[in-house]
Amino acid sequence: MRIDRFKERDILKQVEPYRESKEAVIITGMRRTGKTTLLQYLFEKTESDNRLLLDLENPLNRKYFEEENFDKIQASLEILGINFSEPSYIFLDEIQLFKNIPSIVKYFIDHFQTKFFLTGSTNYYTRRQFEESLAGRKVVFELFPLTFKEFIKFSGKGLNPPTQKSNISRPIFEKLSTLYDEYIMFGGFPEVVLKQSVTEKNAALDDIFRSYFNLEVVQMSNYRKSAVIRDLMLLLMNRAGERIDVQNISQELGISRATTYSYLEFLEGSYFIKLLKPYNLGSKMEIRKSNKIYVCDVGLVRHFAHAAEDCLFENSVFQNLRTKCDIKYYERKSGTQIHFICDDQNNRVAYDTALHPRKTDLTRLARIASEIDVDQYSIISKYYCDLEHTIYGFMV
């Protein structure tokens, strides 16, 4: 990979402090978000000849780690050029394809000066193994589809969205809003953003869905009824931003509630969806158990679902907020709600989304935020708005 063509992701700032630490760096996330490209970049930037990059999707590379005797694994890696008497760097891609990797990584961290960089498209199967085998020996980062600011960088527009609404004139708003419309239309998968035509972008979205289904659902999962999971994925994309009704979904798909919960856990663990938990203060008036569903990428929702404009906008806001803070939603049994409660190191902010915010919307948000002890609040607007306490989607 040519480093001069690499488009930097925000996650690099988080990874950088751990480049030379002892812990294994694990980068996980949805398929096709750029983990392999990032791993290759980290490999090229490592200033050492004592390094090795292996793609475990290649069955020949998996053979090096299939020995039960770790001394034989060491011998194989030495043949491939690693000198374990000196600090060494091993980069492994697609680790979810080899379930014994955690114990192997632990052994080499404990016995040699070996630094590991690992990537995998799912934590559903490997999560428990990594937690047990690599306790205190790993740092985990999640790579998601592009935020809007990353989208701007990838699309080569050379713009820098303002952080203060007061700096956004009408012409600047129109320019950024047009780009945000494109972001909502096609989403943030890097390869989709880099395609030039609408036909190519839509074909890439088709391929991403197909790749996820074939490799994660059919190949990696233990589920027999893969067609039911496919139907569940399509159903969930049509209900993005809604509270999950497991009983209703179970009846629609003709499966048990337990099976539905298991499928939802799998889809979340493999990053296709995110189940947002409710924020509550223990009041009987509040929704306390039902989760809301969001999809990993707004482009997939637009392409595969019959979603309204406000739904797509809300999912795009979620897509950007999730990289910045822990988010929940707030709703009362009366239907009164706040779309997102963003909690960043005890700094809570209430966000609603609206295509055209009205003053009454702002008054309602301010009142509910006060009642649940959230001091900061804003409505995220899609269209131009001159109300106070409003920002735009491209500012999130």
Side-chain angles (χ1 to χ4, degrees):
M1 183 190 74
R2 287 184 54 180
I3 289 181
D4 60 330
R5 293 185 177 179
F6 176 76
K7 296 182 182 294
E8 187 171 315
R9 298 291 304 271
D10 291 345
I11 196 175
L12 272 176
K13 298 182 182 69
Q14 303 171 39
V15 174
E16 194 62 39
Y18 297 94
R19 287 277 300 275
E20 297 296 334
S21 69
K22 187 175 182 179
E23 300 99 328
V25 170
I26 303 172
I27 301 170
T28 185
M30 173 73 177
R31 281 190 173 274
R32 313 282 276 271
T33 51
K35 298 182 300 299
T36 298
T37 300
L38 180 59
L39 189 71
Q40 291 172 341
Y41 174 80
L42 291 170
F43 176 79
E44 295 294 339
K45 292 289 287 184
T46 298
E47 297 179 353
S48 171
D49 293 330
N50 197 19
R51 57 181 181 165
L52 177 67
L53 171 62
L54 293 175
D55 178 4
L56 297 186
E57 199 164 40
N58 184 337
L60 295 178
N61 289 336
R62 292 202 294 271
K63 284 183 66 67
Y64 300 129
F65 301 96
E66 290 173 354
E67 297 285 351
E68 293 185 6
N69 188 325
F70 287 171
D71 290 338
K72 291 185 178 180
I73 296 176
Q74 178 186 344
S76 295
L77 295 174
E78 287 174 338
I79 291 173
L80 293 173
I82 291 294
N83 179 0
F84 285 102
S85 66
E86 299 177 356
S88 56
Y89 302 83
I90 297 179
F91 298 75
L92 302 178
D93 197 16
E94 303 286 4
I95 58 171
Q96 77 280 356
L97 296 172
F98 195 83
K99 295 183 178 180
N100 291 332
I101 280 295
S103 58
I104 295 171
V105 170
K106 177 180 181 297
Y107 174 82
F108 282 94
I109 288 177
D110 290 348
H111 291 81
F112 304 100
Q113 301 177 71
T114 305
K115 174 72 176 183
F116 282 91
F117 293 85
L118 314 169
T119 69
S121 61
T122 176
N123 66 6
Y124 182 73
Y125 292 106
T126 58
R127 178 179 54 209
R128 197 167 287 112
Q129 288 175 295
F130 274 99
E131 286 175 353
E132 294 172 357
S133 300
L134 291 178
R137 299 175 180 84
K138 70 181 187 307
V139 285
V140 181
F141 302 94
E142 293 179 305
L143 186 63
F144 300 109
L146 304 176
T147 64
F148 180 69
K149 289 182 176 64
E150 290 177 317
F151 166 85
I152 292 289
K153 189 184 305 180
F154 269 61
S155 59
K157 305 298 182 181
L159 298 174
N160 187 19
T163 57
Q164 298 295 324
K165 189 184 174 192
S166 58
N167 295 331
I168 301 175
S169 62
R170 272 278 190 177
I172 291 296
F173 171 83
E174 295 297 338
K175 180 71 173 178
L176 289 169
S177 182
T178 299
L179 291 172
Y180 199 85
D181 285 341
E182 181 181 344
Y183 179 71
I184 290 177
M185 180 69 67
F186 299 109
F189 282 102
E191 65 189 274
V192 177
V193 174
L194 294 174
K195 298 293 185 185
Q196 296 302 309
S197 71
V198 170
T199 300
E200 290 177 319
K201 290 175 184 290
N202 284 327
L205 286 168
D206 281 328
D207 191 53
I208 287 168
F209 183 91
R210 182 168 51 247
S211 172
Y212 173 87
F213 181 75
N214 288 335
L215 296 175
E216 298 291 356
V217 179
V218 177
Q219 180 177 316
M220 286 292 297
S221 80
N222 297 321
Y223 299 119
R224 297 178 183 177
K225 297 181 179 180
S226 56
V228 177
I229 301 181
R230 176 204 60 207
D231 293 343
L232 175 60
M233 292 165 63
L234 294 171
L235 185 152
L236 294 175
M237 284 191 284
N238 276 286
R239 297 185 183 178
E242 297 181 12
R243 280 194 289 117
I244 287 285
D245 186 335
V246 173
Q247 181 65 36
N248 180 272
I249 290 174
S250 301
Q251 291 175 350
E252 283 194 46
L253 297 178
I255 55 179
S256 69
R257 286 169 59 93
T259 299
T260 301
Y261 278 118
S262 178
Y263 289 172
L264 289 171
E265 182 186 6
F266 169 77
L267 292 174
E268 184 172 37
S270 53
Y271 292 99
F272 186 77
I273 62 169
K274 174 66 177 177
L275 299 175
L276 220 60
K277 299 183 183 300
Y279 175 90
N280 64 78
L281 301 175
S283 169
K284 293 182 179 180
M285 297 186 300
E286 298 170 334
I287 299 295
R288 289 185 283 177
K289 293 184 179 180
S290 298
N291 295 328
K292 284 180 72 172
I293 173 74
Y294 289 95
V295 180
C296 65
D297 181 72
V298 66
L300 289 176
V301 180
R302 193 278 310 169
H303 189 62
F304 289 100
H306 302 289
E309 183 182 14
D310 57 346
C311 170
L312 293 173
F313 181 57
E314 185 180 332
N315 205 101
S316 74
V317 170
F318 156 78
Q319 192 169 325
N320 284 268
L321 280 179
R322 76 175 305 177
T323 66
K324 298 174 174 62
C325 58
D326 178 50
I327 51 177
K328 296 181 179 180
Y329 79 95
Y330 180 79
E331 187 170 349
R332 292 175 180 168
K333 293 177 181 178
S334 63
T336 301
Q337 65 173 310
I338 296 175
H339 288 132
F340 303 111
I341 303 291
C342 183
D343 193 345
D344 182 11
Q345 296 179 347
N346 295 321
N347 180 34
R348 294 187 182 90
V349 184
Y351 291 113
D352 252 354
T353 65
L355 300 181
H356 299 280
R358 298 169 299 179
K359 191 170 182 60
T360 54
D361 298 325
L362 197 58
T363 301
R364 180 193 57 81
L365 176 60
R367 174 177 55 80
I368 302 171
S370 176
E371 290 172 355
I372 61 175
D373 296 323
V374 177
D375 295 329
Q376 300 180 63
Y377 60 91
S378 290
I379 294 182
I380 304 172
S381 176
K382 185 176 188 299
Y383 294 101
Y384 193 82
C385 177
D386 56 8
L387 291 174
E388 292 184 358
H389 292 284
T390 58
I391 59 175
Y392 300 117
F394 52 73
M395 296 174 65
V396 176

